[in-house]
Amino acid sequence: MENNVIILAGGQGKRMKTNMPKALCNVIGEPMLEWVLTACENAELDDICVVKGYEGQQIEDYLAARKSKAKICTVMQEERLGTGHAVMQAADFLKAHAEGNTLILCGDAPFIDAETIKGALELHTEKDCGVTVVTSRVENPTGYGRIIRTENGISGIVEHKDCTPMQLAITEINSGCYWFKTADLLEVLFDIKPENAQGEYYLTDCIELLIAKGKKADAFISANPHVALGANDRRGLLALNDIARYEIIGKWLDEGIEFCCTDGVSIGNNVTIGHGTKIHSGVILRGNTTIGENCNIGNNCIIENTTVGNGVNLNNVQAYESVIEDDVKIGPYVQLRPNSHIKKGAKIGDFVEIKNSTIGEYTAVAHLTYIGDSDVGSNVNFGCGVVTVNYNGDKKFRTVIEDNAFIGCNTNLVAPVRVGKGAYTAAGSTITTDIPDNALAIERGRETIKEGYAEKKLKARTEKFEAIHGKSEEK
Ligand code: UD1
Ligand code: CA
């Protein structure tokens, strides 16, 4: 039996005041559509059709760039005439999968989860329903479709705008997520008429149409209190962000992770954090980031797609697509650009930028240094203000610094260049040729002293000053 998915993502974020499809608006760094796709993939549903509409190309581009487990296709809804009309656009997809069940989801309700999807499917198959609606009991049902229960299932869904005063009091609402028997859905889909307060083709009308054909309709109450939540405007989107943020922080609190203060803290869905780690305020952990045990992630760190080992101490660090091994200390004010690998026990101090480079074990880069396209060995010491000159305006080259080297303050290492094992560079040198092991390279003018030179200069300067401002005693 095939189970497939249609995700409705035709809507515009008009009230968001954006030119993006609403489903591409972000909740903690990921488009709402991404949340929905992930829930489908977690529920092992692998055939998905996305209905795009407003700025559909953006959805197309997003999906093309995404690494999807599932097979995903799209169909275009040229005009937004309602959720029923949106599903009609996917008729060919439904016909191609007519054997099994189809899950319908809203691309702008990000908190749908795999347990709900699976639980609803179980009820749907057990009770042999034509349609099973995922519902939620909420305090404020305003705006949602109300579920009309019967002794043996449901008899329909009434949209808020079409409700009688009695129906408005119903607090079980339609989440916008449904399992249909695909063949049953196809049987009634094109019978939907836009005869309602909004003049739209309501997908929810399928329920009454199916019941009229003798099919069963039931509702699955999700255990997830946020399952139906969507956003219509920026306030709503911010509320979703806060819900997601606190849900994830709550999960890590339960795992024993210490949060000193949650202000500005945002942790992505795919992040993992090891035991004994402390997270301070303003920390943003995104993408496929792994933080080891007993780390201290200090204020305002942004860590994206990065693996952090155990016992690492970070303070005001930004790290992207990088690896930080055990017992490394970095910060404050350090950026690790993509493909940086900081090995065990290394220390990276303030105002350092590292890009596409390896920093060996126990190496120290204490202050104000740029290391790009470099392979640095272990126990190397960088003085203050070292620059690897990796770019000649046309091409980039690598710098190699071998174990135990000592790079003097303010050294420029003009790549391609190699500093041998244990070699020294003198402070202020611009190094353009390879340095053999254990040698010292010094490249700078010899200092000369001109006795008394400054005295004459000072006298001239004082006379000029006094001609303008008068002698200092007269003031
Ligand atoms: C719908 C349900 C309502 C439910 C609510 C849950 C209907 C008639 N009503 O109402 O019972 O409580 O969802 O959020 O289905 N879309 C398209 N094309 C369209 C119209 C909508 O792709 O022509 C997409 C939207 O982008 C959105 C989803 O379908 O992702 C839901 O549409 P929306 O207009 O938000 O439906 P509601 O009126 O909220
Ligand atoms: Ca909605």
Side-chain angles (χ1 to χ4, degrees):
M1 182 99 89
E2 284 185 282
N3 295 317
N4 45 276
V5 189
I6 295 176
I7 300 175
L8 307 184
Q12 176 187 3
K14 207 185 279 169
R15 279 185 281 163
M16 300 272 183
K17 304 203 168 139
T18 168
N19 297 326
M20 286 197 318
K22 189 157 119 184
L24 289 187
C25 288
N26 278 0
V27 170
I28 49 169
E30 309 272 14
M32 292 194 273
L33 179 61
E34 179 61 37
W35 287 73
V36 178
L37 290 168
T38 304
C40 294
E41 289 177 335
N42 288 344
E44 277 135 43
L45 297 167
D46 45 21
D47 226 320
I48 302 175
C49 175
V50 177
V51 181
K52 59 191 174 176
Y54 179 78
E55 290 290 330
Q57 188 59 41
Q58 290 187 34
I59 301 249
E60 197 66 48
D61 295 345
Y62 181 78
L63 293 173
R66 181 179 190 267
K67 285 186 203 124
S68 299
K69 262 200 277 175
K71 195 174 125 210
I72 305 178
C73 65
T74 64
V75 293
M76 184 67 185
Q77 183 191 24
E78 294 293 348
E79 284 175 291
R80 255 65 64 209
L81 301 179
T83 48
H85 183 259
V87 176
M88 288 176 197
Q89 312 311 305
D92 288 342
F93 175 80
L94 289 170
K95 284 175 196 155
H97 300 82
E99 271 302 294
N101 298 295
T102 298
L103 174 71
I104 310 243
L105 296 173
C106 296
D108 60 355
F111 300 143
I112 182 70
D113 61 284
E115 287 69 50
T116 296
I117 291 173
K118 287 190 204 157
L121 178 60
E122 228 165 80
L123 180 82
H124 180 69
T125 5
E126 232 166 63
K127 294 222 173 166
D128 192 32
C129 291
V131 56
T132 301
V133 183
V134 172
T135 68
S136 189
R137 286 195 183 281
V138 294
E139 263 169 43
N140 178 10
T142 305
Y144 290 103
R146 307 299 205 280
I147 304 296
I148 314 298
R149 287 256 173 197
T150 60
E151 282 141 53
N152 193 19
I154 64 170
S155 64
I157 297 175
V158 185
E159 288 309 294
H160 183 94
K161 287 184 178 152
D162 303 303
C163 277
T164 64
M166 287 273 275
Q167 288 168 335
L168 283 177
I170 296 171
T171 55
E172 184 177 7
I173 54 123
N174 172 19
S175 69
C177 161
Y178 324 77
W179 275 108
F180 282 94
K181 248 184 222 165
T182 312
D184 289 357
L185 175 59
L186 277 168
E187 217 179 298
V188 298
L189 183 61
F190 288 91
D191 294 342
I192 299 174
K193 301 275 177 326
E195 286 153 10
N196 49 58
Q198 303 186 84
E200 285 184 4
Y201 292 88
Y202 287 173
L203 179 63
T204 45
D205 286 354
C206 287
I207 293 161
E208 284 175 40
L209 293 168
L210 284 171
I211 291 169
K213 295 211 175 228
K215 316 278 181 188
K216 270 191 253 172
D218 212 328
F220 175 83
I221 305 182
S222 172
N224 170 355
H226 308 307
V227 72
L229 294 182
N232 293 318
D233 53 19
R234 293 286 172 188
R235 284 171 196 273
L237 194 64
L238 182 60
L240 294 189
N241 266 280
D242 280 338
I243 289 170
R245 232 158 54 74
Y246 281 106
E247 281 285 306
I248 298 173
I249 289 171
K251 187 184 89 180
W252 289 113
L253 286 168
D254 292 343
E255 294 291 319
I257 302 303
E258 180 176 346
F259 290 82
C260 304
C261 166
T262 59
D263 288 356
V265 173
S266 177
I267 297 170
N269 272 322
N270 299 323
V271 170
T272 62
I273 308 173
H275 270 276
T277 286
K278 245 193 228 181
I279 311 276
H280 295 256
S281 60
V283 168
I284 297 174
L285 306 176
R286 286 199 287 242
N288 290 314
T289 287
T290 303
I291 310 285
E293 297 180 0
N294 302 315
C295 292
N296 190 55
I297 311 298
N299 296 340
N300 306 320
C301 289
I302 300 178
I303 316 287
E304 193 174 290
N305 296 319
T306 289
T307 301
V308 177
N310 300 324
V312 169
N313 195 327
L314 306 179
N315 171 11
N316 284 274
V317 173
Q318 297 204 1
Y320 305 91
E321 334 274 332
S322 289
V323 175
I324 301 169
E325 292 188 6
D326 295 352
D327 306 320
V328 165
K329 187 168 186 282
I330 311 183
Y333 317 119
V334 170
Q335 177 169 217
L336 304 185
R337 289 167 56 199
N339 204 22
S340 296
H341 187 149
I342 315 300
K343 294 199 171 172
K344 187 178 159 68
K347 280 196 174 59
I348 316 290
D350 47 286
F351 304 104
V352 172
E353 175 178 334
I354 295 175
K355 184 210 85 175
N356 190 27
S357 296
T358 300
I359 305 297
E361 292 186 7
Y362 302 102
T363 283
V365 189
H367 2 243
L368 299 154
T369 289
Y370 171 63
I371 300 177
D373 303 314
S374 300
D375 305 299
V376 179
S378 59
N379 286 303
V380 172
N381 187 80
F382 285 75
C384 180
V386 173
V387 175
T388 58
V389 184
N390 58 328
Y391 183 49
N392 67 5
D394 174 29
K395 288 198 174 97
K396 293 197 172 128
F397 299 95
R398 291 196 79 82
T399 297
V400 177
I401 301 171
E402 300 202 49
D403 297 351
N404 301 312
F406 188 102
I407 312 299
C409 287
N410 240 16
T411 297
N412 296 311
L413 297 161
V414 182
V417 73
R418 167 183 294 267
V419 179
K421 287 197 177 70
Y424 272 59
T425 73
S429 297
T430 293
I431 305 297
T432 53
T433 59
D434 291 357
I435 308 173
D437 292 358
N438 304 314
L440 164 70
I442 175 162
E443 187 285 328
R444 62 191 185 208
R446 196 167 276 283
E447 189 172 300
T448 47
I449 304 285
K450 299 192 175 172
E451 291 285 353
Y453 174 87
E455 244 170 0
K456 273 189 283 172
K457 283 280 187 196
L458 179 61
K459 190 162 173 276
R461 252 173 35 229
T462 309
E463 280 165 5
K464 193 171 166 192
F465 182 90
E466 289 175 353
I468 299 167
H469 302 287
K471 278 194 196 279
S472 41
E473 307 91 69
E474 289 169 8
K475 274 200 233 151

